[in-house]
Amino acid sequence: MPDSPATLAAPEVLVSANKVCRSLGGRPILSDVSTEIRRGEVVVLIGPSGAGKTTFLRTINHLEQIDSGDLFVNGHRVGYRKLDSGRLIEDSTRTLAKQREEIGFVFQHFNLFPHMSVLENIWHAPVRVRKIPKQAAVADARRLLARVGLADKADKRPASLSGGQQQRVAIARGLAMKPELMLFDEPTSALDPEMIGEVLDVMKELAQDQMTMVVVTHEMGFAREVADRIIVMDAGRIIESGSPDQIFNNPQNPRTSSFLSKIL
């Protein structure tokens, strides 16, 4: 049926996925993925490589298209309009850009603008996209840099920073748009071991501040400590979902047990 207020997610549900499917070259990547993520919830996606975790994360802000299903963020269908026939029609670039303003995304490899200073990387999008006055955006960028422990790096170029510092700048950049939701795609996988903790500490603080977060990670200690809920994926499907205590101490699916036995 076409979109109507009755089909939108409830206000307390920030992300609603219902039977989301995605295939590539005839091979299913996501198969009937259904879940809800509530405001203030920290959800961690785990599972073996190729399970569909990153693909699902990227569908939430339409970096990946879907073939069928329903996906809403903050009450709005993501990336598509639904016709009376049930067919999905991709939304305009302008509409999609507006939707993405509500969603921060932190990538594995930082994706900072190398020709801009650290401070410019943070205030650029709020000024250009949200039309926030530059003076206010710069002040907020400095506040965010202080929050992630990098107040003294404002005038540096990204290349002069360590990987952990660059990732903290990327988090500050995402927060500068004042998103409803933050998505993290293996944010520590490209970092040297000694830099991982500084990034995870920032993410823990965000969780304590009730930021809604969906995180793909192999850092099981972080998942156990910070997640409100863990979703286990395998072969493009959600095979299990529960509290960290349930998933780590009493998994119900043999595939979950097998996966955890190899990484713990």
Side-chain angles (χ1 to χ4, degrees), residues 7 47 259:
T7 67
F259 169 70

mmCIF file of all heavy atoms in Angstrom, residues 7 47 259:
data_model
loop_
_atom_site.group_PDB
_atom_site.id
_atom_site.type_symbol
_atom_site.label_atom_id
_atom_site.label_comp_id
_atom_site.label_asym_id
_atom_site.label_seq_id
_atom_site.Cartn_x
_atom_site.Cartn_y
_atom_site.Cartn_z
ATOM 1 N N THR A 7 1.197 4.046 8.242
ATOM 2 C CA THR A 7 2.259 3.071 7.996
ATOM 3 C C THR A 7 3.575 3.502 8.598
ATOM 4 O O THR A 7 4.536 2.756 8.574
ATOM 5 C CB THR A 7 2.459 2.871 6.485
ATOM 6 O OG1 THR A 7 2.974 4.092 5.925
ATOM 7 C CG2 THR A 7 1.182 2.494 5.801
ATOM 8 N N GLY A 47 28.536 -10.802 13.579
ATOM 9 C CA GLY A 47 28.373 -11.957 12.707
ATOM 10 C C GLY A 47 29.596 -12.118 11.832
ATOM 11 O O GLY A 47 30.452 -11.225 11.757
ATOM 12 N N PHE A 259 30.078 -18.884 15.831
ATOM 13 C CA PHE A 259 30.765 -17.620 15.548
ATOM 14 C C PHE A 259 31.507 -17.120 16.777
ATOM 15 O O PHE A 259 32.692 -16.770 16.709
ATOM 16 C CB PHE A 259 29.758 -16.576 15.068
ATOM 17 C CG PHE A 259 30.311 -15.176 14.998
ATOM 18 C CD1 PHE A 259 31.241 -14.826 14.040
ATOM 19 C CD2 PHE A 259 29.890 -14.233 15.921
ATOM 20 C CE1 PHE A 259 31.762 -13.537 13.999
ATOM 21 C CE2 PHE A 259 30.401 -12.937 15.881
ATOM 22 C CZ PHE A 259 31.343 -12.599 14.911
#
